């Protein structure tokens, strides 16, 4: 193992164009160098292991190269380049601020800055983790940073930009490094593997890249570790086991089972996952990601959002065709709810299990919806008559304990109801009933759904009487009485009902729409309007409300008011 160099070092890029996934930065730097527009100080921000220090070193080498190539890269041949490549150059000074953060450390650096380089044009000072500097150290550094000698260039690097004080920020050109895309990382790993004579399954590198979460250095060390563990052939299964990553096959299997309502299998699979030592919460989040990937695979336009191998993309889009959009969206919403509640749940395993049950049940009504015909058997009847009803009745029971959210299964039935009602209406409207009092002069336009026959006052009175009678029969005596005693007039298709007091008016207002519908139906005229008014008459208004009764009595006997005032009484209206 003597000659072993870790891959992160061995494959550290030596040129701007080999830096992985930061082309927006390397291009800008190359342009600045070739146009000779160098800033005094740069601040490189971004997550760890994405190439900040690497870029800083390449920058130092390139600006000192005496024979720069046309594409803006260093030549790698001149004296300066060779000294850089062998690590012997004195023109680059690296300070790790994490361990050297005192005022003395910075003073030492500032002292050095005064001396011009012996070879080459620039001295580059790289200060890593610059946010770790103490306030005093920052202040000691400010002056130099503001007015450095011409030969000095500073590159400050940090993972925590928000901790950099504004006076420093304003003196630097800031570059934000990206997390590196999984795709780019696995490509780089594949390049390394080929050089190292390591064979691999693309999915294996994919998992390493995902685990590294955007950091190329981490990806390289995981790669080294896996090669050491498993030899010169990396398989998906081995990597998944060694990295303790949950195999995505589980998710494909679980979704398949959900489509087929195989709840028992899902529960057993979940148990297996827990037994392997995986955390329920991580499993749930993974399931959410899987469903998100399915959703994204539904449209070829969004497939580019999938950060997975080609092979896996195909599997996703295959499974996505078996899942309805509604199922995926609903499932995501259920999972995110569980995600939020997970921490506070007492029985977390049960919570995940309930979620799985809900998800499994989601597909059942969707299936039903597809097959549903107009006879619309209730879901309960359907399941009772079904052969595989055992799961479903269990799920149903669980479902009945749940919030209304998953009750969307009932929506289709509701829609059918509406349609039926509608068709009933139009049928009645088109065919005039024989027993209704239709004037012989009436012209009926059968093709028009709005059959607006001529209406006579007597018809209106009859219809209102019928309505009042039906209300009486149905137990709504007051409405019946009100209508029977009301004053009714009919002018220009408008029925005006005049009643005696507010409470009667309120009563009628509350049923107005229904009343009007009935009238239009029975009069076969959709243009009929209904007005409800208070009767303005000289006759004393008959008191109905307790407040009215009190007023009436008080008018007759003013002593009542005195009494109320004397004893400070309140009237319970
Ligand atoms: Zn050179």
């Amino acid at each position: 193992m003597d000659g072993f160099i870790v891959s992160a070092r061995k494959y550290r890029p030596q040129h701007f164009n080999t830096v992985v996934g930061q082309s927006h930065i390397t291009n800008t730097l190359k342009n600045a160098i070739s146009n000779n527009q160098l800033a005094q100080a740069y601040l490189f921000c971004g997550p760890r292991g994405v190439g900040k220090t690497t870029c800083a070193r390449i920058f130092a080498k390139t600006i000192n190269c005496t024979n720069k190539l046309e594409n803006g890269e260093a030549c790698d041949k001149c004296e300066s380049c060779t000294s850089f490549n062998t690590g012997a150059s004195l023109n680059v000074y690296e300070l790790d601020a994490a361990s050297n953060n005192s005022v003395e450390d910075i003073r030492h650096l500032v002292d050095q800055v005064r001396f011009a380089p012996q070879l080459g044009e620039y001295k580059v000072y790289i200060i890593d983790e610059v946010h770790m500097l103490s306030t005093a150290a920052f202040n000691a550094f400010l002056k130099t940073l503001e007015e450095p000698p011409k030969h000095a260039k500073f590159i400050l690097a940090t993972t925590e930009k928000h901790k950099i004080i504004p006076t420093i920020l304003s003196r630097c050109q800031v570059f934000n490094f990206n997390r590196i895309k999984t795709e780019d990382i696995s490509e780089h790993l594949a390049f390394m593997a080929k050089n190292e004579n390591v064979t691999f399954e693309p999915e294996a590198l994919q998992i390493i890249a995902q685990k590294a979460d955007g950091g190329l250095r981490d990806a390289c060390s995981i790669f080294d570790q896996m090669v050491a563990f498993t030899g010169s052939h990396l398989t998906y299964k081995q990597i998944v086991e060694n990295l303790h990553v949950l195999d995505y096959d589980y998710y494909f299997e679980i979704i398949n089972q959900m489509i087929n309502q195989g709840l028992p299998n899902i529960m057993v699979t979940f148990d297996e996952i827990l037994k392997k030592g995986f955390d329920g919460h991580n499993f749930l989040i993974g399931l959410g990601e899987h469903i998100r990937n399915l959703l994204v695979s539904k449209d070829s336009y969004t497939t580019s959002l999938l950060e997975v191998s080609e092979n896996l993309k195909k599997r996703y889009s295959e499974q996505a065709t078996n899942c309805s959009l509604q199922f995926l969206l609903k499932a995501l919403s259920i999972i995110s709810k569980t995600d939020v509640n997970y921490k506070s749940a007492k029985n977390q395993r049960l919570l995940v299990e309930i979620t799985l049950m809900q998800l499994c049940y989601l597909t059942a009504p969707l299936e039903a919806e597809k097959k549903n015909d107009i006879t619309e058997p209730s879901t309960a009847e359907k399941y009772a008559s079904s052969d595989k009803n055992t799961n479903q009745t269990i799920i149903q029971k669980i479902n009945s304990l749940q919030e209304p959210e998953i009750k969307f299964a009932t929506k289709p039935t509701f829609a059918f109801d509406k349609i039926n009602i509608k068709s009933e209406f139009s049928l009645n409207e088109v065919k005039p009933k024989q027993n209704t009092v239709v004037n012989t002069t009436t012209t009926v336009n059968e093709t028009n759904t709005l059959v607006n026959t001529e209406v006579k006052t007597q018809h209106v009175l009859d219809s209102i009487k019928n309505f009042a009678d039906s209300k009486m029969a149905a137990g709504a005596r007051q409405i019946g009485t009100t209508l029977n005693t009301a004053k009714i007039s009919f002018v220009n298709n408008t029925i005006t009902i005049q009643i005696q007091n507010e409470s009667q008016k309120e009563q009628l207002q509350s049923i107005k729409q229904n009343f009007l519908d009935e009238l239009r139906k029975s009069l076969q005229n959709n243009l009929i309007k209904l007005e409800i008014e208070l009767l303005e008459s000289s006759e004393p208004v008959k008191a109905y409300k307790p407040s009215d009764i009190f007023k009436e009595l008080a008018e007759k006997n003013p002593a009542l008011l005195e009494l109320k005032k004397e004893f400070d009484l309140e009237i319970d209206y």
Side-chain angles (χ1 to χ4, degrees):
M1 289 293 276
D2 270 352
F4 182 75
I5 304 170
V6 293
S7 300
R9 261 185 69 195
K10 189 170 175 184
Y11 293 96
R12 181 184 277 250
Q14 298 294 331
H15 298 100
F16 283 127
N17 59 11
T18 48
V19 174
V20 180
Q22 310 293 359
S23 55
H24 63 297
I25 286 169
T26 51
N27 287 339
T28 315
L29 288 176
K30 265 199 285 188
N31 282 336
I33 294 170
S34 41
N35 297 333
N36 217 0
Q37 290 173 329
L38 299 180
Q40 293 293 354
Y42 294 91
L43 179 66
F44 289 179
C45 316
R48 66 202 195 95
V50 295
K52 296 188 297 293
T53 320
T54 302
C55 276
R57 287 184 190 158
I58 297 173
F59 178 80
K61 177 167 99 174
T62 313
I63 59 176
N64 275 309
C65 176
T66 52
N67 189 19
K68 281 190 268 295
L69 300 181
E70 260 180 36
N71 60 8
E73 300 279 4
C75 73
D76 263 345
K77 284 175 191 142
C78 68
E79 198 181 343
S80 165
C81 284
T82 29
S83 68
F84 264 101
N85 286 348
T86 54
S89 176
L90 296 171
N91 286 359
V92 63
Y93 181 96
E94 286 188 39
L95 180 84
D96 180 16
S99 46
N100 308 293
N101 57 2
S102 67
V103 190
E104 275 68 45
D105 294 317
I106 288 298
R107 289 222 173 102
H108 181 66
L109 183 138
V110 169
D111 285 343
Q112 295 217 350
V113 171
R114 286 187 284 130
F115 303 111
Q118 291 180 329
L119 178 79
E121 212 176 334
Y122 300 102
K123 254 190 144 170
V124 180
Y125 297 86
I126 302 173
I127 306 179
D128 220 352
E129 306 293 341
V130 68
H131 61 272
M132 302 283 277
L133 285 183
S134 64
T135 321
F138 260 130
N139 289 332
F141 185 46
L142 267 182
K143 180 83 184 132
T144 315
L145 192 62
E146 198 166 30
E147 290 170 353
K150 256 199 164 170
H151 59 262
K153 301 283 169 208
F154 292 96
I155 299 180
L156 316 180
T158 180
T159 47
E160 287 166 72
K161 187 181 170 186
H162 59 276
K163 287 189 182 164
I164 308 292
I165 53 173
T167 40
I168 297 272
L169 276 181
S170 64
R171 286 166 172 81
C172 297
Q173 221 175 72
V174 181
F175 287 90
N176 293 306
F177 283 67
N178 293 332
R179 276 178 68 238
I180 302 171
K181 275 193 250 163
T182 316
E183 217 178 299
D184 290 339
I185 294 182
S186 42
E187 218 170 87
H188 186 72
L189 292 178
F191 164 75
M192 275 165 39
K194 267 174 205 147
N195 270 334
E196 299 292 313
N197 288 324
V198 173
T199 50
F200 58 87
E201 293 173 4
E203 286 77 18
L205 300 185
Q206 192 75 36
I207 293 294
I208 296 178
Q210 275 170 11
K211 186 87 178 174
D213 194 30
L216 192 59
R217 189 171 55 217
D218 286 0
C220 291
S221 20
I222 298 174
F223 175 83
D224 287 346
Q225 201 184 332
M226 288 303 116
V227 172
F229 277 161
T230 63
S232 57
H233 182 64
L234 299 178
T235 65
Y236 170 73
K237 286 273 171 240
Q238 284 171 328
I239 303 288
V240 160
E241 257 169 48
N242 280 303
L243 289 182
H244 202 64
V245 173
L246 191 50
D247 190 342
Y248 48 66
D249 276 344
Y250 279 122
Y251 294 126
F252 278 107
E253 173 61 19
I254 283 176
I255 296 290
N256 274 341
Q257 292 293 349
M258 280 176 184
I259 295 167
N260 302 317
Q261 280 111 59
L263 183 62
N265 291 334
I266 294 176
M267 302 307 264
V268 170
T269 312
F270 178 54
D271 181 59
E272 196 182 313
I273 290 169
L274 290 182
K275 274 184 183 153
K276 282 192 169 179
F278 288 101
D279 173 55
H281 200 189
N282 285 343
F283 160 74
L284 199 77
I285 290 170
L287 185 61
E289 272 166 19
H290 182 90
I291 293 172
R292 176 262 186 198
N293 287 347
L294 290 176
L295 198 67
V296 163
S297 307
K298 276 234 160 257
D299 193 321
S300 56
Y301 184 61
T302 47
T303 334
S304 57
L305 298 176
L306 277 183
E307 287 198 334
V308 297
S309 68
E310 282 306 313
N311 199 357
L312 204 51
K313 265 186 196 172
K314 224 193 236 164
R315 282 184 72 184
Y316 274 119
S317 60
E318 262 169 34
Q319 188 162 62
T321 51
N322 295 327
C323 303
S324 74
L325 196 62
Q326 212 174 356
F327 165 70
L328 296 175
L329 290 172
K330 211 72 201 166
L332 277 179
S333 128
I334 291 176
I335 288 175
S336 74
K337 238 187 195 169
T338 312
D339 181 23
V340 172
N341 296 332
Y342 190 86
K343 282 263 151 66
S344 57
K346 278 215 169 132
N347 189 342
Q348 297 177 325
R349 178 179 177 145
L350 182 66
L351 183 71
V352 178
E353 283 177 343
I354 290 174
T355 308
L356 289 174
M357 291 169 194
Q358 286 179 14
L359 295 176
C360 188
Y361 172 69
L362 270 183
T363 54
L366 292 171
E367 285 296 304
E369 187 189 346
K370 260 188 227 161
K371 294 172 201 156
N372 211 350
D373 48 8
I374 293 128
T375 52
E376 48 164 296
S378 81
T379 1
E381 282 168 0
K382 229 177 135 92
Y383 290 147
S385 63
S386 154
D387 281 336
K388 44 177 179 174
N389 59 2
T390 34
N391 308 339
Q392 282 156 346
T393 32
I394 297 168
I395 306 160
Q396 253 189 315
K397 276 180 190 162
I398 296 158
N399 184 37
S400 64
L401 300 171
Q402 296 299 320
E403 293 165 65
E405 201 188 347
I406 34 172
K407 285 190 184 156
F408 82 110
T410 54
K411 269 185 190 159
T413 358
F414 182 63
F416 277 120
D417 281 344
K418 262 191 181 163
I419 292 162
N420 285 347
I421 290 167
K422 242 188 182 172
S423 59
E424 211 173 280
F425 258 124
S426 51
L427 278 178
N428 284 348
E429 279 159 6
V430 174
K431 286 188 213 152
K433 280 184 199 158
Q434 290 190 334
N435 58 356
T436 42
V437 219
V438 179
N439 196 300
T440 38
T441 56
T442 310
T443 46
V444 180
N445 182 0
E446 290 211 19
T447 55
N448 195 341
T449 45
L450 300 174
V451 183
N452 298 318
T453 54
E454 188 191 326
V455 178
K456 295 211 161 173
T457 313
Q458 192 52 49
H459 303 155
V460 174
L461 295 177
D462 288 346
S463 296
I464 294 177
K465 175 101 181 56
N466 285 339
F467 184 79
D469 288 348
S470 73
K471 283 287 168 193
M472 296 277 257
R477 297 208 137 262
Q478 279 190 325
I479 291 176
T481 323
T482 305
L483 286 176
N484 282 335
T485 56
K487 199 178 159 195
I488 294 161
S489 56
F490 179 64
V491 183
N492 285 340
N493 277 340
T494 304
I495 303 171
T496 311
I497 297 183
Q498 288 177 302
I499 28 100
Q500 289 178 325
N501 63 43
E502 268 306 326
S503 74
Q504 285 180 324
K505 191 178 171 185
E506 273 168 31
Q507 245 175 22
L508 283 189
Q509 283 292 359
S510 70
I511 58 153
K512 186 178 174 187
Q513 193 53 49
N514 170 258
F515 186 22
L516 180 61
D517 288 345
E518 288 293 316
L519 287 174
R520 284 179 173 171
K521 207 162 136 187
S522 106
L523 297 169
Q524 299 189 353
N525 190 323
N526 279 348
L527 301 175
I528 297 284
K529 285 183 200 130
L530 182 62
E531 298 285 346
I532 296 167
E533 287 175 1
L534 274 183
L535 194 62
E536 289 170 24
S537 74
S538 52
E539 286 171 44
V541 178
K542 209 177 162 194
Y544 273 78
K545 279 188 187 170
S547 55
D548 296 338
I549 294 169
F550 179 76
K551 257 187 223 160
E552 209 175 293
L553 288 174
E555 266 167 38
K556 279 183 196 158
N557 191 352
L560 267 178
L561 282 176
E562 295 281 316
L563 183 75
K564 184 185 170 222
K565 207 175 157 192
E566 190 68 28
F567 292 96
D568 197 18
L569 295 175
E570 267 182 33
I571 295 183
D572 194 5
Y573 288 137

